[in-house]
Amino acid sequence: MPIHSWLCNVNCGGRERPLDHFETTDCGDCTETGKGLHPDFAAAVLEQERAHYRFGKRAIGVTDLVSGCPRAAAIKHTVPYAVDPLALNSPMTGMAYHQYIALASNSKEVEVKVAGKVEGVEVITSVDRLRKHRLLIEDHKHRNDYAGKYDKRDGSKAEHVAQLSLGAELVEQTLGWRPMRGTIWAHYTGAVGLYPMPVPTLLSLSDVLEFKPWKGDATVRDHLAAMERWRKGEMQWSDLPLFGEAQKIGDKTACDYCPARVPCWEQARGAAF
């Protein structure tokens, strides 16, 4: 159950508003106030979240395991929550870029749905691009221009390498062949355009399971076990640890970027901030 209402920071001071708010009020039209949020933008944000979580509890997604927080993922699956549409601008833009690339491709090896069992647990993902004749798995990442200098300095993020590597495992289970290397194609809005970051050697499944996303305290195996217990109904989302608190993204934690922080922290702490 994804977003059920908006937090409006246009003219409403961050108060909760219904999903048709930007369609039916001046907050979606800047004619009078000079401020606004286009209703089609809000609709695109809503579709992005619904697309990401449309599988519900039937399977566990690779992204949630390898670069996310299981508690946040469980909240987004089950708890109605409110969010400022602009807080999800980055993933929405990334989804739009992915869809455009897939639509324009001449290959059938784009947006390939793969699934399999990892330690007995059903895991699913959509691979951006496969090239079987090259034994190659590829991922498109839309990035801001500022991030480009760090990509060139540091190369692929460990979380992205782990994501590709787990995807390769699911490709083998689904399609019967295994990618042996990967490429992360970073896309920027400015003159840099595309910057490919090769991954000559993918991680083994055992290495992926021991990986700790964002240098947190928990491994992917820990994430998998927690999400499976939640999926089977053995734990409520409120019983899951706050994995994101220990995950470091720059000088902040994953919680600082999480659209599910309000219900998460209110349950754990009695306050969202």
Side-chain angles (χ1 to χ4, degrees), residues 29-50:
D29 182 354
C30 71
T31 303
E32 298 295 332
T33 64
K35 296 190 298 181
L37 192 151
H38 199 284
D40 292 349
F41 178 89
V45 170
L46 189 63
E47 171 57 24
Q48 187 273 333
E49 282 292 280
R50 286 176 171 169

Side-chain angles (χ1 to χ4, degrees), residues 100-263:
Y100 188 80
I101 290 292
L103 183 65
S105 176
N106 294 317
S107 172
K108 295 181 179 179
E109 293 183 300
V110 295
E111 295 296 329
V112 182
K113 302 297 188 295
V114 293
K117 293 288 184 71
V118 178
E119 300 205 325
V121 178
E122 185 76 14
V123 178
I124 192 168
T125 196
S126 178
V127 176
D128 290 347
R129 184 69 152 90
L130 293 172
R131 290 198 248 183
K132 182 180 178 180
H133 67 291
R134 294 180 179 273
L135 298 181
L136 179 64
I137 183 171
E138 298 176 298
D139 193 12
H140 293 292
K141 298 291 184 187
H142 179 76
R143 308 268 287 156
N144 64 53
D145 289 350
Y146 180 76
K149 64 179 182 180
Y150 296 103
D151 291 340
K152 290 184 176 181
R153 183 190 71 186
D154 303 330
S156 305
K157 289 185 178 297
E159 289 73 20
H160 297 163
V161 174
Q163 182 179 332
L164 274 184
S165 300
L166 186 50
E169 168 69 24
L170 300 182
V171 168
E172 183 174 25
Q173 291 192 35
T174 303
L175 302 177
W177 65 275
R178 190 180 188 94
M180 302 305 295
R181 59 190 182 91
T183 305
I184 296 165
W185 291 87
H187 171 258
Y188 312 97
T189 54
V192 174
L194 286 176
Y195 180 65
M197 294 179 281
V199 183
T201 305
L202 297 168
L203 301 176
S204 67
L205 179 58
S206 59
D207 285 342
V208 172
L209 289 170
E210 291 303 316
F211 175 68
K212 294 182 177 180
W214 305 114
K215 300 179 181 179
D217 297 331
T219 65
V220 171
R221 178 178 278 109
D222 295 329
H223 286 187
L224 182 66
M227 291 196 72
E228 177 64 358
R229 291 192 65 189
W230 163 77
R231 191 190 68 81
K232 292 169 65 175
E234 297 174 0
M235 295 177 69
Q236 301 299 312
W237 72 263
S238 54
D239 298 322
L240 295 172
L242 277 71
F243 293 101
E245 283 191 321
Q247 295 175 346
K248 305 299 182 183
I249 302 178
D251 58 356
K252 297 184 178 181
T253 73
C255 295
D256 292 306
Y257 300 98
C258 181
R261 186 173 74 171
V262 171

